[in-house]
Amino acid sequence: MHAEKISEIVAHFIGLFGAATDEARMRSNYLDGARPREADPSLSQDEVSSPAFASNLQLKDYDPGVDYRSVSYDINYGDPRHFGGVFEETLKKLAEIASRDLSAPHFGANVYLPGEKEEELEVFQGPGSVISHVAQANMLIDDDHLNMTGDQPELRDTSFVTHRLMEFSEKADASTPFSSYDRVDTQEGLRAIADDIHEFIQAARESGATTMESGEPQIIVLPDNQIDGVSTYTYVNGQLVEDAPSIDDFMPDRGIATPPAEPEKSDVPVEQDGGSGNSLDVAAGANVLVNVVEITETAIISPVTAVMGNYHQIDAISQFYVYSDRDEIASVFNHDDSATTVANNIAIFERSTYVDGKPDTAEPAAETIFPTAWRVSVIEGDVSFVNWIEQYHFISDNDTMTVTTTGSEATVLTGGNAAVNLASFLGIGIQYDLIIVGGDILDMNVISQIALLYDNDWVRAEDGAPGATVQSGNNLIWNLASIHNVGANDRFEAMPDYVVQTQKAIEDRDAAMPSGLSHDGNFEGYIGLNVLYITGNLYDVNIIKQVSILGDSDDVTQAVSNILEHNQGADIKIDTGSNAVVNIAQITDYDSFGQTTYLAGQLYSDAILIQGGLVEHDTSQPQPNSDHLANEVIAFLGEDEPLGGSEDAVINAGHDLSWTLAQPADVMQTVVA
């Protein structure tokens, strides 16, 4: 039956092939114009078949009751274990692993299970270093000259402001030792900075100098018991407080320099006060300088870390401000001196433990599970996670104005500048169950903040000028630094022997996981381990430097209006202060996601705070009016004819936005050189 079936298939194929060949031949002949050839005359219908012809096939009548039965095929491809057996065994292993709820990121295709014999441990490449250097700088020159009387404005030399700010800067640099560090991109440079801070802290600890005398900064070396466990310590101007103040409670009212806000929806008509009709509102200050940095660093995520060398942890904050706010206000004015300059250095040291936020609703396992497999990644050499961010502001807003009433509502804004630097970094590392560092770990967080303000103003009036309300203070200096470490400082334990054996097994490429590691209590419930081995050192460094400098020395003279009726019942407000110099920096550093760090070497934990401030009352400054022409480019504003009684005047030389332009942003300064 088998042979007949094959013969039938072959015959059928030959028949189809012959038919297709004849069809193609006929088509070819027709295309050539030839007629079909006649049949071969050698074959005669009357020719009798040869008597030697014989056949063993029996001719039977048609039987409609015969059922068709397919032919069975028995094909042997060899041992079936080599094909289906491996797949079935793989399914069984996968089902066993899946039943133990093993998280997907832990293992790839290469997982070593017990009982398997591997000649060499296959290792994978670990993550590389991440180093970022960011520098943001703003410089804005907005020294305006305005005379509303139409006369030629008297030129004023304001170079003394720059000189005073330079002196302030030198004093601040001498009081903030961490501000002198320059950006480095080598491990040797980072170690040099760490050693320098460590020596400084040791010297401060031995001297015990923690009081502020004669403007010297207050140095506070935090003892070990303050940074152990879970805690938060907040210092404001050298004093330990429970809660940090909010900047919203101290931010000055900028008056007409406040950016417009969306009006609130109301179903009733809004009544507007038309005012007296004869008012003058002058804002020569109201500048805002803001540096904001936020760093969240996870580096490499791991609940258990083993360090074969030393662990050096440094948290350092230095804050210093210098300001001068001595104003000369004519006695004819109503001087609002209730709001003085507020300067705050705020430092926060916080330590907490990682909480995943998941409710603990799992039922206890029937049997204790420990890891039976591992996956190993190796990094040859050192690994660095470095964020170095520097932010600088220099704003000069020294205005000289002669203002007068116009008989209508008039506003004059020559300040109101805003300079903002924003930097944010979010580093999310790769998750491992165990990290082994063959060398040392340097975990360093440093914040340095300097804020300088020179706001000595002069406001005077000509004889016969109407009275006015003068606001010359209400400035804010705000240095806020926060270092938040995640991972309790009491998590360090002695190095167990099986971790040393694990390091040797990885170096020898031994695929068998040490039995001691597989029974570590930190890994209870794990079916397998994802291990990272760094042969060198690990550097986790975050350094922030912020410097904000503002010179806002204004000279405002109120003149008598040429139109007598404009001087009667006038409502005049003059504001030469209301500046804000703000530095805000926050570092959140995830040191550990668990409760254990094995350490074979020494632990160095240093935390220091330096806070200081200097209030400078400048009594040797030159007279504000001088015939000497300043070196800066000078702009002359408001040389038109005096306004009529029915016109509203709006002179806005402020709202200059300096983001990353190291050049004057006031376009009017190019009018006259």
Side-chain angles (χ1 to χ4, degrees):
M1 294 295 295
H2 188 66
E4 292 179 359
K5 185 65 178 180
I6 295 177
S7 299
E8 180 182 353
I9 294 174
V10 173
H12 182 68
F13 175 77
I14 294 176
L16 292 177
F17 180 78
T21 303
D22 291 340
E23 182 179 2
R25 185 182 300 109
M26 293 177 62
R27 185 181 300 108
S28 176
N29 293 336
Y30 277 118
L31 292 176
D32 294 340
R35 62 181 180 84
R37 292 177 295 179
E38 296 180 356
D40 190 355
S42 60
L43 296 178
S44 175
Q45 296 181 356
D46 299 334
E47 185 175 358
V48 181
S49 300
S50 171
F53 175 80
S55 175
N56 57 357
L57 299 178
Q58 297 180 0
L59 297 178
K60 295 182 178 180
D61 295 336
Y62 172 70
D63 185 2
V66 176
D67 296 330
Y68 172 76
R69 291 177 298 176
S70 61
V71 180
S72 61
Y73 296 90
D74 185 11
I75 304 177
N76 187 3
Y77 291 98
D79 188 2
R81 175 178 175 80
H82 293 288
F83 296 91
V86 175
F87 179 72
E88 294 174 358
E89 291 179 359
T90 304
L91 289 179
K92 292 180 181 179
K93 292 180 180 179
L94 292 177
E96 180 182 359
I97 295 175
S99 64
R100 298 184 182 181
D101 191 22
L102 186 63
S103 56
H106 280 269
F107 297 97
N110 298 92
V111 179
Y112 300 107
L113 300 174
E116 294 185 355
K117 296 182 179 180
E118 296 291 339
E119 296 181 355
E120 183 177 347
L121 173 67
E122 182 179 0
V123 298
F124 300 86
Q125 181 64 37
S129 299
V130 177
I131 302 176
S132 64
H133 288 177
V134 178
Q136 297 175 322
N138 285 327
M139 185 180 75
L140 174 63
I141 310 298
D142 185 35
D143 300 339
D144 299 319
H145 289 70
L146 169 66
N147 194 324
M148 294 179 62
T149 64
D151 298 333
Q152 181 75 12
E154 186 176 2
L155 302 181
R156 183 170 67 116
D157 183 8
T158 60
S159 60
F160 70 93
V161 179
T162 303
H163 293 318
R164 297 298 292 174
L165 289 174
M166 292 177 61
E167 295 175 0
F168 290 174
S169 179
E170 293 176 357
K171 294 179 180 179
D173 290 338
S175 302
T176 52
F178 310 144
S179 63
S180 60
Y181 297 138
D182 295 326
R183 292 190 299 271
V184 297
D185 54 2
T186 62
Q187 285 81 8
E188 292 77 8
L190 295 175
R191 280 190 174 274
I193 293 176
D195 294 341
D196 184 66
I197 296 178
H198 179 68
E199 294 175 0
F200 182 89
I201 294 176
Q202 292 299 323
R205 181 180 287 113
E206 294 174 0
S207 63
T210 60
T211 59
M212 183 183 298
E213 299 178 358
S214 302
E216 294 297 325
Q218 184 171 0
I219 301 176
I220 302 174
V221 179
L222 277 69
D224 293 338
N225 58 359
Q226 279 193 304
I227 57 178
D228 282 347
V230 178
S231 57
T232 300
Y233 295 90
T234 303
Y235 293 86
V236 178
N237 294 333
Q239 300 297 322
L240 183 63
V241 298
E242 293 184 359
D243 299 319
S246 174
I247 190 174
D248 296 334
D249 299 333
F250 296 89
M251 201 68 182
D253 182 9
R254 302 178 65 194
I256 61 175
T258 304
E262 291 292 335
E264 297 182 0
K265 295 182 179 181
S266 177
D267 298 334
V268 298
V270 179
E271 297 181 359
Q272 296 183 353
D273 185 6
S276 63
N278 185 15
S279 64
L280 176 63
D281 198 346
V282 178
N287 301 289
V288 175
L289 284 67
V290 181
N291 285 323
V292 179
V293 175
E294 182 178 3
I295 297 176
T296 301
E297 177 62 74
T298 61
I300 304 175
I301 304 174
S302 174
V304 181
T305 304
V307 185
M308 299 303 173
N310 300 325
Y311 194 109
H312 195 175
Q313 178 176 303
I314 297 177
D315 293 328
I317 296 177
S318 65
Q319 300 170 314
F320 201 83
Y321 62 79
V322 184
Y323 75 87
S324 180
D325 187 13
R326 188 183 65 84
D327 306 312
E328 295 183 7
I329 311 299
S331 59
V332 69
F333 295 119
N334 178 20
H335 185 204
D336 183 9
D337 57 356
S338 60
T340 59
T341 296
V342 176
N344 282 334
N345 288 325
I346 306 169
I348 302 174
F349 294 88
E350 184 176 2
R351 182 170 292 279
S352 64
T353 57
Y354 174 74
V355 179
D356 57 10
K358 297 180 180 179
D360 189 9
T361 59
E363 297 181 358
E367 59 179 353
T368 303
I369 299 176
F370 283 98
T372 57
W374 65 341
R375 184 182 191 274
V376 180
S377 301
V378 176
I379 301 177
E380 298 290 344
D382 299 333
V383 179
S384 300
F385 297 94
V386 180
N387 298 296
W388 193 303
I389 300 178
E390 299 182 9
Q391 295 178 326
Y392 300 95
H393 284 307
F394 179 81
I395 307 298
S396 177
D397 183 37
N398 306 305
D399 302 323
T400 304
M401 293 184 290
T402 300
V403 297
T404 185
T405 55
T406 62
S408 61
E409 295 184 4
T411 60
V412 179
L413 177 58
T414 58
N417 303 291
V420 181
N421 285 324
L422 297 175
S424 177
F425 179 85
L426 174 60
I428 301 179
I430 301 177
Q431 179 179 357
Y432 293 91
D433 300 319
L434 170 64
I435 297 177
I436 302 175
V437 180
D440 302 332
I441 287 184
L442 174 59
D443 183 11
M444 181 167 57
N445 300 306
V446 180
I447 299 177
S448 173
Q449 296 175 325
I450 294 176
L452 309 177
L453 171 64
Y454 188 90
D455 186 35
N456 291 5
D457 304 315
W458 295 265
V459 182
R460 57 182 145 263
E462 295 181 353
D463 294 337
T469 300
V470 177
Q471 161 73 305
S472 60
N474 196 29
N475 298 298
L476 175 64
I477 297 178
W478 194 270
N479 286 327
L480 172 61
S482 173
I483 297 178
H484 180 192
N485 288 285
V486 179
N489 213 34
D490 56 358
R491 68 185 187 276
F492 296 93
E493 299 181 6
M495 182 70 65
D497 294 337
Y498 55 80
V499 176
V500 179
Q501 298 173 3
T502 302
Q503 178 190 17
K504 186 177 184 303
I506 297 175
E507 293 177 348
D508 296 340
R509 298 298 187 264
D510 186 357
M513 184 174 61
S515 59
L517 179 63
S518 63
H519 289 84
D520 190 318
N522 292 288
F523 305 127
E524 181 179 353
Y526 288 63
I527 188 63
L529 293 181
N530 195 12
V531 181
L532 174 64
Y533 175 44
I534 302 174
T535 63
N537 304 311
L538 174 60
Y539 298 89
D540 185 9
V541 179
N542 300 293
I543 297 180
I544 299 175
K545 295 173 58 177
Q546 296 176 319
V547 179
S548 296
I549 302 175
L550 172 60
D552 182 39
S553 179
D554 303 314
D555 180 17
V556 182
T557 301
Q558 182 182 349
V560 179
S561 176
N562 295 330
I563 302 177
L564 184 60
E565 62 183 12
H566 292 172
N567 299 320
Q568 305 300 323
D571 183 13
I572 304 174
K573 298 178 182 178
I574 300 175
D575 189 354
T576 60
S578 303
N579 300 290
V581 182
V582 180
N583 293 318
I584 298 176
Q586 180 178 4
I587 298 175
T588 303
D589 187 11
Y590 285 83
D591 298 330
S592 175
F593 280 74
Q595 303 294 330
T596 304
T597 297
Y598 295 124
L599 182 61
Q602 299 296 323
L603 172 63
Y604 303 95
S605 182
D606 297 322
I608 188 171
L609 170 63
I610 302 175
Q611 288 183 330
L614 180 62
V615 181
E616 178 76 11
H617 294 291
D618 192 355
T619 59
S620 61
Q621 56 192 346
Q623 292 298 319
N625 292 330
S626 174
D627 295 335
H628 177 69
L629 181 64
N631 295 328
E632 293 80 10
V633 177
I634 300 175
F636 298 94
L637 303 178
E639 295 186 357
D640 298 335
E641 294 296 327
L643 296 174
S646 62
E647 299 178 8
D648 294 338
V650 178
I651 301 175
N652 188 345
H655 291 305
D656 300 288
L657 297 179
S658 174
W659 295 91
T660 55
L661 304 176
Q663 61 184 14
D666 189 352
V667 296
M668 292 301 296
Q669 293 194 22
T670 60
V671 175
V672 178

